[in-house]
Amino acid sequence: MRSLKLIIQREYLARVRNKTFIIMTFLSPIILVGMFALIAYLSMLNSSEQHIIGFHDETGLFLKEFQDDENLQYLNFSDKSLDEAKKIVRENEYYGLIHIPDADNNYDLTGKVQFFGEESPGLGTVQNIEKIISNKLQRNELIERGIDVAQIDSAKTSVDVQIQNFSGETTSKMANYLRMFFGGAAGYLLMMFIIIYGNMVMRSVIEEKTNRIIEIIVSSVKPIQLMLGKVIGTSLAGITQFTVWVILGGILYTLAGLYFGVDLMNAQPGQVEVEQLNIPEVNQLVTDVLNLPIFSLIVYFLIYFLGGYFLYSAIYASIGAAVDSETDTQQFMLPVILPLMLGIYVGFFAVIENPHGTISTIFSMIPLTSPIVMLMRIPFGVPWWEISLSILILLCTNTAVVWLAAKIYRVGILMYGKKASYKEIYKWLKY
């Protein structure tokens, strides 16, 4: 036990005292927050830019339909010929020109409306133009059929479905998006943590094996103690780095918003501003956030983080012991990366759509994918027995994989000059 403690301490100190580790620990949050701030700033500039679009309406139906807004200004060139309108738009470098041709049937403009411009318009701009034209044609068609459009407009109603569980607790549609965000963030962070620090364990093993330091070390400690010491020491260094990232990133995020006046959360166009929400909606949103199982998420994140990280780190350590250089690891990496990627894809495409479906449930039990998929399911409410069963399977698999990895590690760290194959590694398990 004393040897294991010394190995953990050595691995931890070796990581946190490394110059590259220290630089990236403090530089990464600065780069990340700076990148988000730049994207938010550019998005704000892009959304504030106003485009001028001309329109040439030969039907005369849409002369008053194109109304200016914050991002678009419309100019009417219907009194000129189409060629003259094109020339004016091109000479003044306007954004484009909408041409609505006259037709025998004014209500059949499918595939006939054209947009001329030096560059392709944005998807939102095209959809806005199509909406204006289609709404006007629809209203004219109703009037032609003798239908009172004003009565139809006055009869329009909106329905807001109130969501409650059987115990009477009220929630909102936004709550599902919050659950998706928290679950997705937890699963993605876990995947990145496993990949980054699992590779760190593997490189450490390869480095010591290449330098022949490992021969001296294993003469004093058992190979399984050495492997566990590397895994635990590296994980503690990773947790330290991650904690610094969260604290420093939060501080930089706040300073970026205050100093530069950039709202990183509302950088995307089309999002609902808080000012546009009424007080009951804001209160309900706050209630939804408070009702999220934050404490359970943190506890289960730690459990699945430790279980998933130990599982994959043992595999990474055994790969490092089986090869002589980092180049030789490529043949073994695909089977390790695939379950992680599968967990992410299942999480985003199956769990978000149906968190309690068969696919979501099965993959939250498979130990190679359960740390990611189950973390994405938990915010949506998972029965305790499913979580307990998933954790039990993960722990049992962990024990088996660590035992098998230790057998590979015991033989592999002393093997030099020979490329290990899957067949060779299978033989090592029998020793």
Side-chain angles (χ1 to χ4, degrees):
M1 197 66 185
R2 174 177 166 77
S3 299
L4 179 59
K5 182 180 178 181
L6 289 174
I7 295 170
I8 293 172
Q9 183 179 358
R10 172 186 174 274
E11 291 294 326
Y12 177 78
L13 293 177
R15 296 286 172 270
V16 298
R17 289 176 178 174
N18 185 278
K19 290 182 179 180
T20 304
F21 183 90
I22 295 172
I23 292 172
M24 293 309 299
T25 297
F26 291 96
L27 190 61
S28 295
I30 297 174
I31 295 174
L32 190 62
V33 173
M35 182 182 67
F36 279 125
L38 178 62
I39 293 173
Y41 179 70
L42 294 177
S43 298
M44 289 171 60
L45 289 180
N46 186 59
S47 61
S48 62
E49 182 181 357
Q50 188 178 57
H51 294 303
I52 300 176
I53 299 178
F55 65 92
H56 186 266
D57 179 18
E58 296 180 3
T59 66
L61 294 173
F62 307 95
L63 300 180
K64 297 181 180 180
E65 299 301 316
F66 292 100
Q67 302 294 326
D68 299 344
D69 57 28
E70 294 180 358
N71 299 323
L72 294 175
Q73 179 184 353
Y74 294 99
L75 299 179
N76 184 7
F77 297 121
S78 301
D79 57 341
K80 305 183 183 327
S81 67
L82 179 59
D83 291 334
E84 288 177 328
K86 287 181 181 180
K87 183 179 179 182
I88 294 172
V89 170
R90 190 165 50 248
E91 289 178 350
N92 290 276
E93 297 183 352
Y94 294 151
Y95 192 63
L97 174 69
I98 305 167
H99 176 229
I100 306 173
D102 196 5
D104 296 334
N105 183 356
N106 288 332
Y107 306 116
D108 185 16
L109 293 175
T110 304
K112 298 178 181 179
V113 180
Q114 295 174 299
F115 184 94
F116 300 98
E118 292 293 338
E119 57 188 33
S120 298
L123 181 61
T125 303
V126 175
Q127 290 177 339
N128 186 52
I129 294 170
E130 292 174 343
K131 182 179 178 181
I132 291 172
I133 296 174
S134 62
N135 286 347
K136 178 62 177 177
L137 291 177
Q138 185 180 31
R139 292 177 69 87
N140 276 19
E141 178 70 18
L142 292 174
I143 292 173
E144 285 275 335
R145 297 182 182 185
I147 299 173
D148 191 344
V149 179
Q151 289 187 2
I152 294 178
D153 292 338
S154 63
K156 288 182 179 178
T157 58
S158 60
V159 177
D160 185 16
V161 178
Q162 298 296 319
I163 304 173
Q164 284 189 0
N165 57 24
F166 288 107
S167 62
E169 184 179 332
T170 304
T171 184
S172 67
K173 295 182 285 291
M174 185 61 69
N176 283 335
Y177 293 103
L178 291 172
R179 295 187 185 104
M180 288 164 50
F181 172 77
F182 280 97
Y188 187 77
L189 280 174
L190 180 58
M191 184 198 73
M192 294 304 298
F193 204 98
I194 288 173
I195 292 176
I196 293 172
Y197 295 102
N199 274 283
M200 193 179 292
V201 171
M202 182 180 68
R203 285 194 298 268
S204 175
V205 174
I206 294 173
E207 182 182 353
E208 290 184 350
K209 181 179 176 180
T210 305
N211 296 333
R212 302 296 176 95
I213 300 174
I214 203 76
E215 296 176 359
I216 302 173
I217 298 175
V218 295
S219 64
S220 304
V221 297
K222 295 180 179 179
I224 189 171
Q225 290 180 325
L226 182 59
M227 187 187 75
L228 288 176
K230 284 185 174 297
V231 171
I232 297 173
T234 305
S235 66
L236 291 176
I239 292 172
T240 302
Q241 189 176 55
F242 186 74
T243 303
V244 174
W245 283 351
V246 171
I247 296 173
L248 185 57
I251 295 172
L252 292 173
Y253 175 91
T254 305
L255 292 177
L258 293 176
Y259 185 77
F260 296 104
V262 175
D263 188 355
L264 304 185
M265 293 301 293
N266 292 319
Q268 297 296 327
Q271 284 186 313
V272 180
E273 301 288 342
V274 175
E275 289 80 0
Q276 294 175 329
L277 298 172
N278 56 42
I279 297 301
E281 289 174 331
V282 173
N283 291 337
Q284 183 61 57
L285 182 60
V286 173
T287 302
D288 290 336
V289 173
L290 295 176
N291 285 338
L292 283 173
I294 301 296
F295 179 76
S296 298
L297 268 178
I298 295 173
V299 172
Y300 288 129
F301 178 81
L302 292 175
I303 293 173
Y304 279 104
F305 161 74
L306 292 174
Y309 177 76
F310 265 88
L311 179 66
Y312 279 95
S313 289
I315 298 173
Y316 274 109
S318 62
I319 292 174
V323 299
D324 290 334
S325 66
E326 198 167 340
T327 306
D328 297 335
T329 63
Q330 301 307 313
Q331 61 177 320
F332 301 109
M333 293 308 297
L334 186 61
V336 180
I337 298 296
L338 276 179
L340 292 172
M341 299 302 298
L342 183 62
I344 286 293
Y345 282 118
V346 169
F348 281 109
F349 291 101
V351 174
I352 289 175
E353 179 66 26
N354 186 7
H356 306 294
T358 304
I359 299 297
S360 302
T361 304
I362 290 175
F363 278 92
S364 65
M365 297 296 169
I366 299 174
L368 290 174
T369 58
S370 63
I372 295 173
V373 177
M374 185 58 85
L375 280 178
M376 291 187 174
R377 288 187 63 203
I378 287 173
F380 293 92
V382 181
W384 67 268
W385 66 267
E386 287 191 20
I387 299 177
S388 301
L389 180 60
S390 174
I391 293 174
L392 180 61
I393 295 173
L394 180 61
L395 292 178
C396 293
T397 307
N398 235 307
T399 304
V401 169
V402 168
W403 179 71
L404 292 173
K407 299 191 72 165
I408 297 172
Y409 190 89
R410 181 187 60 185
V411 179
I413 54 176
L414 299 176
M415 299 287 288
Y416 300 99
K418 182 181 179 181
K419 274 191 176 183
S421 62
Y422 287 103
K423 184 178 180 180
E424 187 75 19
I425 292 175
Y426 179 72
K427 290 180 181 179
W428 295 353
L429 294 175
K430 297 180 180 179
Y431 293 162

